């Protein structure tokens, strides 16, 4: 059961104390507070944990501070959509809106290699009206002898250059909870020129300690990738870990499933799950066509498979696209073969726009027919 209080409820007031006193009398029920800081107001939600079936919702709703009560199913208490549940997964970070209703592009380097390449990437993004980027500093690699990423050493120039080119948010993978601290320190030292979304990669989807650390801090939103060899339910439970620790600013990312059934692509594209996640949860949904498709090949129609997959995700309602670009893919240290070229960015953006417009027309048509 979730008890939603009136916006900006005073937690030191008498009316609030009356509710808490009542909750404390409930046998076998624990409660946990969630604060949701919106642009205009502070929302407080109280999650009751335990068997709440005998609690009278109308009685709880009669408390002065209570706006409404939502009965939740056992699964996905925080991230899930429940009956009569008007909560939203929408949030604003560094002026950028993350929502199930819009579309954002996060293009950039799979792995940071040189300051020159980082600068070329940001410059190109700025020239094309973009304020978000992806930049990999910590790389989880299959082979221990492969390049592991420059780690914290590259953060000063990655952040400073972001500020120079008006990049407001960078999606950056972390593989250890130390990395949250390193990112935090580097941002402070650089004077907060940009923001960071902590990316948890497909190899760490069920790294529960990492999820708890990323969930406990509330400074940075989290982009969680679906695990490449587990069910959707298991990956959504991983997202619930983040939320249950207190961080509600979560974006869920599809990136393809590991199976030879997807050959010759790197993974089997799973973007048909975009509407499923939007139906089951409040999270904005991201698609990563680069790690799904993994190659630059094009069909006879001259459209790259990566662009086809992107369009499939967007036409199904995706809210964010995370995609690899590189100024010189032949010299990229990680995933060069799937990187798009900087000169392809305007084409990519136009192609995304076509798919988004088609999606919006489809929504309208559905509205007229249902
Ligand atoms: C990445 O986005 O750089 C990455 C390693 O992705 P994934 O976790 O999906 O393999
Ligand atoms: Mn990669």
């Amino acid at each position: 059961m979730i008890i939603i209080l009136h916006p900006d409820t005073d937690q030191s007031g008498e009316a609030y104390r009356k509710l808490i006193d009542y909750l404390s009398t409930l046998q076998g029920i624990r409660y946990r507070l969630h604060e949701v800081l919106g642009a205009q107001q502070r929302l407080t939600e109280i999650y009751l944990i335990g068997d709440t079936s005998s609690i009278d919702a109308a009685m709880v709703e009669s408390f002065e501070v209570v706006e409404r009560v939502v009965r939740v199913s056992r699964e996905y208490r925080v991230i899930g959509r429940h009956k009569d549940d008007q909560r939203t997964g929408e949030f604003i970070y560094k002026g950028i809106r993350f929502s199930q209703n819009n579309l954002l592009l996060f293009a950039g380097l799979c792995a940071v290699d040189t300051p020159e390449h980082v600068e070329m990437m940001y410059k190109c993004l700025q020239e094309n009206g973009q304020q978000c980027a992806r930049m990999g500093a910590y790389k989880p690699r299959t082979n221990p002898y492969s390049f592991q990423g420059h780690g914290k050493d590259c953060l000063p120039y990655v952040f400073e250059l972001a500020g120079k080119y008006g990049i407001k948010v960078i999606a950056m993978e972390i593989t250890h909870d130390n990395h949250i601290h390193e990112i935090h320190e580097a941002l402070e030292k650089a004077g907060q020129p940009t923001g960071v979304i902590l990316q948890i990669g497909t190899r760490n989807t069920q790294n529960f300690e990492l999820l708890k650390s990323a969930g406990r801090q509330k400074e940075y939103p989290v982009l969680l990738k679906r695990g490449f060899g587990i069910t959707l339910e298991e990956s959504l439970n991983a997202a619930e870990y983040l939320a249950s620790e207190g961080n509600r600013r979560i974006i869920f990312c599809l990136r393809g499933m590991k199976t030879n059934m997807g050959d010759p692509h790197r993974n089997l594209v799973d973007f048909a799950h975009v509407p499923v996640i939007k139906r089951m949860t409040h999270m904005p949904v991201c698609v990563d066509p680069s790690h799904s498709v993994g190659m630059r090949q094009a069909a006879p129609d001259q459209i790259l498979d990566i662009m086809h997959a992107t369009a499939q995700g967007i036409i199904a309602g995706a809210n964010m696209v995370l995609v690899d670009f590189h100024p010189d893919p032949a010299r990229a240290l990680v995933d060069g073969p799937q990187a798009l070229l900087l000169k392809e960015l305007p084409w990519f953006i136009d192609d995304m726009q076509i798919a988004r417009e088609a999606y919006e027309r489809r929504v309208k048509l559905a509205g007229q027919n249902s």
Side-chain angles (χ1 to χ4, degrees), residues 108-127:
L109 307 184
C110 177
V112 170
D113 42 25
T114 67
E116 292 72 31
H117 287 156
V118 172
E119 181 153 19
M120 286 165 82
M121 187 70 234
Y122 287 152
K123 186 165 180 287
C124 176
L125 286 167
Q126 188 183 50
E127 283 166 2

Side-chain angles (χ1 to χ4, degrees), residues 50-152:
D51 181 8
T52 57
S53 55
S54 61
I55 300 176
D56 178 0
M59 148 77 183
V60 178
E61 267 172 352
S62 70
F63 280 89
E64 195 185 322
V65 287
V66 176
E67 184 173 291
R68 64 184 189 280
V69 166
V70 178
R71 279 207 184 274
V72 299
S73 46
R74 289 178 62 78
E75 297 279 275
Y76 320 132
R77 285 161 203 238
V78 187
I79 62 167
R81 273 185 192 277
H82 308 286
K83 194 168 170 291
D84 303 325
D85 182 2
Q86 293 147 33
R87 294 173 309 149
T88 158
E90 182 168 317
F91 62 90
I92 293 175
Y93 177 62
K94 300 288 173 188
I96 307 285
R97 190 162 68 93
F98 295 83
S99 154
Q100 282 195 343
N101 299 317
N102 64 349
L103 175 63
L104 298 166
L105 170 61
F106 279 65
L109 307 184
C110 177
V112 170
D113 42 25
T114 67
E116 292 72 31
H117 287 156
V118 172
E119 181 153 19
M120 286 165 82
M121 187 70 234
Y122 287 152
K123 186 165 180 287
C124 176
L125 286 167
Q126 188 183 50
E127 283 166 2
N128 287 281
Q130 301 301 306
Q131 297 183 313
C132 303
R134 62 157 288 152
M135 286 287 154
Y138 308 94
K139 298 306 301 177
R141 304 304 303 281
T142 305
N143 185 328
Y145 306 113
S146 303
F147 172 64
Q148 303 285 311
H150 287 311
K152 71 174 182 344

Side-chain angles (χ1 to χ4, degrees), residues 105 107 124 127-128 130 295-311 314 321 323 325 339-356:
L105 170 61
C124 176
E127 283 166 2
N128 287 281
Q130 301 301 306
M295 53 163 70
R296 278 188 49 86
Q297 268 78 347
D301 58 17
Q302 302 180 60
I303 302 173
L304 296 166
D305 290 12
I306 288 178
M307 293 202 195
H308 273 300
T310 304
I314 294 173
V321 175
V323 57
F325 275 74
L340 302 182
L341 311 174
L342 298 193
K343 66 171 193 234
E344 290 167 339
L345 184 61
W347 172 22
F348 190 82
I349 292 170
D350 286 350
D351 201 52
M352 276 178 65
Q353 190 53 34
I354 291 171
R356 179 69 189 179

Side-chain angles (χ1 to χ4, degrees), residues 110 134 139 266 291 324 334-335 338:
C110 177
R134 62 157 288 152
K139 298 306 301 177
R266 183 170 171 180
H291 291 82
D324 291 359
V334 183
D335 285 348
Q338 70 191 24

Side-chain angles (χ1 to χ4, degrees), residues 4 11 23 53 55-56 80 84 224 238 273 275 279 289 311 322 334 359:
I4 298 165
Q11 290 183 17
L23 296 180
S53 55
I55 300 176
D56 178 0
D84 303 325
L224 177 69
H273 276 164
R279 176 168 70 241
L322 185 74
V334 183
Y359 169 71

Side-chain angles (χ1 to χ4, degrees), residues 2-19:
I2 306 173
I3 305 171
I4 298 165
L5 306 189
H6 292 295
D8 298 320
T9 290
D10 175 12
Q11 290 183 17
S12 56
E14 178 67 12
Y16 177 78
R17 200 183 51 76
K18 276 192 184 149
L19 173 68

